[in-house]
Amino acid sequence: MDIVMVVIGLALLLGGGEGLVRGGVALAIRMRLPMAVVGAVVLGFGTSMPEMLTSVSAALAGAPGIAIGNVLGSNIANILLILGLAALIAPVTAEAAGVEDRIWLILATIMGIGVILVGVTVGRVEGAILLAALALYIWRQLGRDGSAEPVPEIVMGVAPMLLYILGGLATLIAGAWLLVEGASGIARAIGISETVIGLTVVAVGTSLPELATSIIAARRGEAGLALGNILGSNVFNILAILGLTAVIVPIPVPAALSIVDLALVAGSVALLLLFLATGRIGRGAGAGFLAVYAGYIGWLALSSA
């Protein structure tokens, strides 16, 4: 039954995330926001909603390992697994990652690791600091110059738009609850920590919107969109999800969270920036990303056995 709950929860998260993103983009177009803002804020936030609701639900349910593991594991999977797969399909150029985008990725990563290492609990003060940084990030994104971009035509009515938004949000909430309950049950049944479940099954599951977006973009020859999606999602995961969750309910840092997990969060960002400095992430680099991720999952399996 726990496995069924996880599968249904993941399906609801994927469907709800898709609906929320479609409705959110339609709302942004109706408000005449430039597409740069739509991509950086609306899509970045929308594809991170599964992680947000899952982490909040986990923290409220007393499963801090899933709450924190989901955020860290999603950021690792976004770079090593999802971007690795996208690069295998089509080389990813660095054009979609400006200097400020890279700086925000570095700052968010440092802040996320810092609030976890600073004490035994990620409390409301730390959460408020992350949310303040998120507000600054969104303000900077809204300040982007979109004057040279064509304004898309409104293609969705108000009623369908609201249905997508409200229906997507309700579906996400249901999916997050099922996923947390099922994942917690699996962890208890097979005797491994909720943190490992959060870093793997839950993290990859809640990253399905990013996976779908990046793979579709790569297959259409727009691999740069995959990179922009990953950068924005990773920033939101830390600043918005970890920040909001900690403000709602302080999160005890799980004992099962190791320095290796935190090192790989930082290391994956460093690896990404290294290849971006060369101007592209080719198929060889994509295969390397996937190999590192496979090694990490293998290490988790052995260490939790």
Side-chain angles (χ1 to χ4, degrees), residues 160-207:
M161 177 187 71
L162 293 177
L163 183 61
Y164 270 117
I165 293 174
L166 297 178
L169 185 58
T171 304
L172 281 171
I173 293 173
W177 182 83
L178 287 171
L179 181 59
V180 170
E181 290 296 312
S184 299
I186 291 173
R188 289 190 297 267
I190 62 180
I192 64 174
S193 71
E194 291 175 340
T195 303
V196 172
I197 292 291
L199 286 165
T200 53
V201 177
V202 176
V204 174
T206 55
S207 292

Side-chain angles (χ1 to χ4, degrees), residues 5 29 44 49 63 69 71 75 107-108 126-129 157 166 173-174 177 185 189 193 206 218 225 249-250 256 293:
M5 291 176 69
I29 292 174
M49 280 300 290
V71 171
N75 277 24
L107 287 176
E126 292 87 350
I129 292 173
L166 297 178
I173 293 173
W177 182 83
S193 71
T206 55
L225 290 177
V249 52
Y293 189 72

Side-chain angles (χ1 to χ4, degrees), residues 22-295:
R22 286 192 181 189
V25 170
L27 176 62
I29 292 174
R30 184 170 288 275
M31 294 174 63
R32 300 298 181 183
L33 295 177
M35 288 310 293
V37 175
V38 173
V41 178
V42 179
L43 288 180
F45 186 79
T47 57
S48 292
M49 280 300 290
E51 287 95 333
M52 175 175 289
L53 289 175
T54 299
S55 286
V56 171
S57 298
L60 291 173
I66 291 179
I68 291 183
N70 176 41
V71 171
L72 300 182
S74 291
N75 277 24
I76 293 171
N78 280 349
I79 294 175
L80 298 181
L81 175 62
I82 297 174
L83 200 55
L85 286 172
L88 277 183
I89 296 172
V92 177
T93 62
E95 296 175 357
V99 174
E100 185 169 352
D101 296 316
R102 304 181 199 194
I103 291 174
W104 273 108
L105 178 62
I106 294 171
L107 287 176
T109 302
I110 292 174
M111 292 179 71
I113 293 175
V115 297
I116 290 173
L117 290 178
V118 76
V120 296
T121 300
V122 181
R124 290 190 171 92
V125 173
E126 292 87 350
I129 292 173
L130 293 177
L131 290 180
L134 173 68
L136 179 59
Y137 172 72
I138 293 176
W139 176 74
R140 292 290 301 176
Q141 294 298 327
L142 291 175
R144 283 186 174 187
D145 182 13
S147 58
E149 299 179 3
V151 178
E153 294 182 3
I154 297 174
V155 294
M156 186 181 295
V158 175
M161 177 187 71
L162 293 177
L163 183 61
Y164 270 117
I165 293 174
L166 297 178
L169 185 58
T171 304
L172 281 171
I173 293 173
W177 182 83
L178 287 171
L179 181 59
V180 170
E181 290 296 312
S184 299
I186 291 173
R188 289 190 297 267
I190 62 180
I192 64 174
S193 71
E194 291 175 340
T195 303
V196 172
I197 292 291
L199 286 165
T200 53
V201 177
V202 176
V204 174
T206 55
S207 292
L208 287 176
E210 289 91 339
L211 177 61
T213 301
S214 297
I215 296 301
I216 291 171
R219 290 185 63 184
R220 291 178 177 174
E222 300 175 347
L225 290 177
L227 177 59
N229 179 44
I230 294 303
L231 292 178
S233 178
N234 277 24
V235 172
F236 269 103
N237 282 350
I238 293 175
L239 300 184
I241 298 171
L242 191 58
L244 181 61
T245 304
V247 167
I248 293 174
V249 52
I251 315 168
V253 177
L257 187 68
S258 75
I259 194 66
V260 175
D261 302 315
L262 296 176
L264 195 60
V265 173
S268 61
V269 170
L271 191 63
L272 172 60
L273 294 175
L274 175 64
F275 279 99
L276 288 181
T278 69
R280 69 198 296 267
I281 304 172
R283 289 187 172 90
F289 281 20
L290 292 174
V292 174
Y293 189 72

